[in-house]
Amino acid sequence: MTTTTESYRVKDLGLAEAGRLRIDWAEARMPVLMALRERHSEEQPLKGQRIAGCLHVTKETAVLIRTLVAAGAEVAWSGCNPLSTQDDVAAAMAAEGIPMYAWHGMNVEEFYWAIDKTLEQKPTLTLDDGADLIFRVHDRFTGLIDGILGGTEETTTGVHRLRAMAADGALKYPVLAINDAETKWDFDNVYGTGQSSLDGILRATSVLLAGKNFVVAGHGHCGRGCALRARGAGANVYVTEVKNTAALKASLEGYSVLPMDEAAAIGDIFITATGMKDVLRKRHFEAMKDGAIVCNTGHYDVELNLPELDELAVSSRQIRENCREVTLQDGRRIYVLAEGRLVNLAAAEGHPSEVMDMSFANQIQGMVFLARKGAGLGNEVHMLPEELDQEIAGIKLAALGIKIDELTPEQAAYATAYAEGT
Ligand code: XFA
């Protein structure tokens, strides 16, 4: 059931109060967005801009939307993933007067309908997670292109596709790669994924981590975050890798590095964070101890080869939420969390607000940058200026009450002279 008027479509406007409570909770944990909101409500850098946004409708996104509005923008929104939309948050936004077109579980047709509704306002800026809005404008609404100063893109995949498009000369307005900002990828991958993945494991199992053998497949940013948090919880952390430099880093960080064939027989808990398929497969399941727990926080649902596990099974039952017990021929039991999908999304709540604070601060500052400079940029994928990263990190530090040193004028001069090679 949906509530429809001209200016929004959400599941149920009656959920608005519940949504507001959640948004208020997030606001208290997003000091960078709140600081930018205060600054931009005075300066109004987005006055006269119309923003179409297509991004997960969550409490954190609501804080982003309120901040864009406070900065002077007119905003219309759709959700970039029908399953990530929180209906109470969507309702709260609609109740605040945001043209919000999002509800949980919308189908493909409705998804494009929602995007198209946000384009009716003839945006001057687009804000994307997955580039669907940019693609839609380029495919179906080319008449809007001349009026668009630029867009932002949140994700790695989106940025990748847009770079391919730019290389073909097919990109018709400038795009900022939010993902490539250090305050985005270097924080949400490590600290966001690290904590939320452990959170998912704990919610799905409630096991004690201390003293457990915790195997992390992959020592990229996500794997590093998981390893760091598992060690902090008192687990013995083992890391598997296929890349020399990553393996060496893991070893020098103090983790035991070994091949999965050996880790399989040792581990109590396994988490994959590689981006590769079949990381845990038949030969590994065959070697595992009774009671081993397996899950994934890497690439969607391909890292655990569950069809191969099920071939080895004599029985299987859902024993807890997000926890399936698979019994093998010899009686050993393996516990599969969230069917190998991202455990931090399926069994927990994704990145904490404190982490989204930094990602979304890049979105805000990206919008302001495009409003000021977009017209002068080429139709390519651009990085945010490095100063913006430093500024965002600086606001976060200030909010945390952390002070740091400053170079003396002599040191600053020395640094410049040094860079010039004298
Ligand atoms: C849901 C996000 C995706 C939610 C929404 C509701 C709930 C939990 C699906 C998402 C992304 Cl694909 O948010 C989480 Cl109950 N996020 C981002 C996020 N993660 N991403 C972990 O939290 C980053 C990422 C992912 C998953 C990068 C590449 C591939 C997959 C949007 C968001 N999260 C904060 C939610 N806090 C409640 O706003």
Side-chain angles (χ1 to χ4, degrees):
M1 206 182 49
T2 52
T3 310
T4 313
T5 74
E6 287 286 298
S7 54
Y8 64 84
R9 192 184 286 187
V10 299
K11 173 104 174 171
D12 174 4
L13 208 55
L15 299 171
E17 179 52 28
R20 266 194 298 276
L21 293 177
R22 295 226 265 186
I23 299 165
D24 289 349
W25 179 263
E27 271 187 354
R29 277 146 200 85
M30 302 182 84
V32 182
L33 288 191
M34 297 310 279
L36 292 175
R37 190 184 296 181
E38 198 177 322
R39 183 194 298 176
H40 293 335
S41 5
E42 279 164 37
E43 297 170 7
Q44 296 286 291
L46 297 178
K47 198 169 175 58
Q49 303 296 337
R50 293 181 302 279
I51 299 175
C54 181
L55 195 147
H56 305 287
V57 179
T58 61
K59 60 188 188 302
E60 291 79 10
T61 298
V63 182
L64 167 65
I65 294 174
R66 284 180 177 174
T67 307
L68 293 168
V69 170
E74 281 176 49
V75 177
W77 215 265
S78 65
C80 66
N81 176 336
L83 298 181
S84 65
T85 295
Q86 302 191 298
D87 287 320
D88 53 358
V89 171
M93 288 292 95
E96 286 177 24
I98 305 295
M100 172 61 72
Y101 304 92
W103 59 94
H104 190 89
M106 67 196 330
N107 64 31
V108 176
E109 208 179 303
E110 292 164 335
F111 176 81
Y112 287 108
W113 172 85
I115 287 183
D116 295 354
K117 288 301 280 182
T118 67
L119 295 174
E120 281 179 3
Q121 55 145 353
K122 300 197 168 30
T124 57
L125 297 164
T126 63
L127 188 157
D128 256 294
D129 180 310
D132 289 302
L133 204 42
I134 296 177
F135 294 144
R136 193 72 176 163
V137 168
H138 282 71
D139 286 349
R140 297 281 182 95
F141 297 91
T142 48
L144 295 175
I145 288 173
D146 281 347
I148 298 177
L149 285 167
T152 53
E153 167 54 38
E154 172 88 1
T155 65
T156 319
T157 328
V159 166
H160 193 78
R161 292 163 75 189
L162 291 166
R163 287 218 166 94
M165 213 168 141
D168 282 351
L171 187 64
K172 302 297 180 199
Y173 61 81
V175 175
L176 294 182
I178 301 300
N179 181 70
D180 297 9
E182 195 177 349
T183 42
K184 202 271 184 185
W185 64 269
D186 214 14
F187 290 80
D188 75 44
N189 289 341
V190 183
Y191 311 105
T193 305
Q195 176 171 302
S196 59
S197 300
L198 283 242
D199 186 10
I201 293 171
L202 292 178
R203 291 192 204 195
T205 65
S206 79
V207 294
L208 180 72
L209 294 173
K212 293 283 173 19
N213 292 337
F214 192 99
V215 180
V216 185
H219 201 64
H221 284 81
C222 295
R224 245 183 76 211
C226 294
L228 191 63
R229 293 304 171 238
R231 177 157 69 190
N236 308 312
V237 180
Y238 296 82
V239 172
T240 71
E241 251 301 339
V242 294
K243 192 175 173 187
N244 297 334
T245 46
L248 192 57
K249 284 183 197 176
S251 173
L252 269 55
E253 280 161 29
Y255 303 112
S256 304
V257 178
L258 76 188
M260 189 57 90
D261 276 341
E262 288 172 34
I266 296 172
D268 298 303
I269 302 168
F270 296 82
I271 187 163
T272 55
T274 69
M276 184 42 65
K277 66 171 191 165
D278 299 338
V279 180
L280 290 177
R281 51 189 185 272
K282 186 166 183 237
R283 56 193 289 156
H284 306 124
F285 297 128
E286 281 173 335
M288 283 180 191
K289 299 197 285 194
D290 180 33
I293 293 166
V294 298
C295 66
N296 166 50
T297 192
H299 189 61
Y300 300 96
D301 60 353
V302 300
E303 302 212 12
L304 311 186
N305 190 326
L306 295 180
E308 287 190 358
L309 175 62
D310 286 321
E311 275 170 31
L312 297 172
V314 289
S315 67
S316 162
R317 58 178 180 159
Q318 195 67 28
I319 193 162
R320 294 164 58 94
E321 197 179 353
N322 289 308
C323 181
R324 182 163 67 95
E325 180 188 68
V326 178
T327 304
L328 309 186
Q329 275 107 7
D330 60 5
R332 277 178 303 127
R333 291 156 299 181
I334 293 177
Y335 296 94
V336 179
L337 308 189
E339 288 307 310
R341 295 189 307 276
L342 301 184
V343 72
N344 60 336
L345 286 181
E349 293 174 58
H351 295 326
S353 305
E354 289 89 336
V355 174
M356 301 307 292
D357 189 26
M358 312 259 281
S359 309
F360 287 171
N362 281 288
Q363 286 283 7
I364 296 278
Q365 297 304 74
M367 285 286 125
V368 170
F369 182 78
L370 288 172
R372 288 182 178 144
K373 303 251 172 70
L377 295 175
N379 297 339
E380 290 147 35
V381 179
H382 302 267
M383 296 275 291
L384 281 163
E386 153 77 10
E387 305 86 73
L388 275 184
D389 252 335
Q390 293 306 328
E391 185 187 27
I392 288 167
I395 300 173
K396 192 71 159 181
L397 283 170
L400 294 167
I402 297 170
K403 297 194 183 76
I404 67 168
D405 288 328
E406 225 178 294
L407 295 180
T408 64
E410 291 76 16
Q411 286 173 322
Y414 180 76
T416 319
Y418 182 83
E420 282 160 6
T422 48

